[in-house]
């Protein structure tokens, strides 16, 4: 189960489906306020959203469930894993990407930036094309979603939980301004079942430029598939 970044949607992970072996089913969470959930309000807190997602996953007949979250999605995935691993549903591994460990989270306040400043931040991170944001309709639709997501993650405060009884893997870009290698390695303290750290060339959105490498590494971590069996289409 994949969890998108702030302002991201489930569709961000759609290209991964062609790169996965046939015995792996790709699913992604669609947060409220975008695409087919455009008219739904965001939950008041990130924890509330995680509780809703965990309840929905626990109600399904899931096997070998792996949670992968990027940036804000890493925090959501962790909070979901805490609840599922506590006996309310099956989860086998947590993979976090592009996000400092919860106790090392930075004190950002981007949700209060002016529109132009916020756009510069988005473009600098590589999450959106500047040309796209020159369209007034796109700005009108996208910026409120970005602010709502940033408000969720920036107001979230880590609450200590027991260490997860499942392995945790951390993926990080070598030149990501949002997380240092030390901050990514900090996730080790959140599991009692094994931890590994994986580095990829690139910035915060390294997983876009290196989609194939990321999916291959993910499959290797999970012990599924073989490179020779994966499709060659990007």
């Amino acid at each position: 189960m994949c969890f998108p970044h702030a302002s991201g949607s489930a569709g961000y992970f759609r290209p991964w489906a062609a790169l996965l072996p046939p015995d792996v089913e790709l699913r992604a969470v669609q947060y409220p306020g975008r695409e087919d959930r455009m008219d739904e309000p965001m939950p008041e807190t990130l924890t509330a959203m995680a509780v809703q997602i965990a309840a929905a996953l626990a109600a399904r007949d899931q096997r070998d469930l792996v949670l992968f979250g990027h940036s804000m999605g890493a925090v959501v995935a962790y909070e979901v894993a805490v609840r599922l691993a506590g006996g309310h549903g099956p989860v086998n591994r947590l993979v976090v990407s592009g996000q400092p460990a919860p106790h090392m989270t930075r004190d950002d306040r981007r949700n209060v930036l002016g529109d132009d400043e916020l756009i510069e931040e988005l473009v600098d991170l590589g999450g959106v094309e500047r040309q796209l944001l020159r369209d007034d309709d796109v700005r009108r639709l996208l910026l409120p979603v970005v602010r709502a997501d940033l408000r969720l993650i920036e107001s979230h405060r880590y609450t200590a939980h027991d260490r997860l009884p499942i392995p945790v893997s951390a993926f990080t870009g070598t030149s990501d301004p949002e997380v240092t290698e030390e901050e990514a390695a900090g996730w080790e303290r959140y599991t009692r079942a094994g931890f590994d750290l994986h580095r990829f060339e690139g910035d915060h959105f390294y997983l876009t430029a290196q989609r194939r490498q990321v999916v291959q590494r993910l499959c290797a971590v999970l012990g599924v598939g073989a490179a020779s069996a994966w499709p060659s289409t990007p």
Side-chain angles (χ1 to χ4, degrees), residues 76-170:
V76 182
Y78 167 69
E79 293 291 348
V80 170
V82 166
R83 286 150 182 84
L84 293 180
H88 303 294
V91 58
N92 286 1
R93 180 182 289 267
L94 171 66
V95 184
V96 292
S97 166
Q99 180 68 24
H103 68 286
M104 304 174 85
T105 298
R106 303 176 187 185
D107 187 20
D108 293 324
R109 288 293 180 270
R110 290 172 175 160
N111 75 88
V112 298
L113 292 175
D115 286 356
D116 291 340
E117 292 176 291
L118 183 55
I119 286 170
E120 287 301 317
E121 289 279 341
L122 295 175
V123 172
D124 287 346
L125 285 177
V128 65
E129 295 290 337
R130 187 186 301 276
Q131 185 65 34
L132 186 63
L133 289 171
R134 288 175 178 161
D135 186 302
D136 288 342
D137 289 336
V138 172
R139 289 166 62 115
R140 194 176 302 113
L141 287 173
L142 180 62
L143 290 184
V145 175
V146 173
R147 290 189 190 283
D149 285 357
L150 290 176
R151 194 175 299 114
L152 276 187
I153 187 64
E154 291 173 359
S155 64
H156 182 65
R157 294 295 175 264
Y158 167 65
T159 301
H161 302 291
D162 291 339
R163 289 191 176 203
L164 291 170
I166 57 174
V168 173
S169 299

Side-chain angles (χ1 to χ4, degrees), residues 2 22 48 53 56 72 86 116 118 142 176 188:
C2 296
I53 295 170
M72 181 184 86
D116 291 340
L118 183 55
L142 180 62
D176 186 349
E188 183 174 10

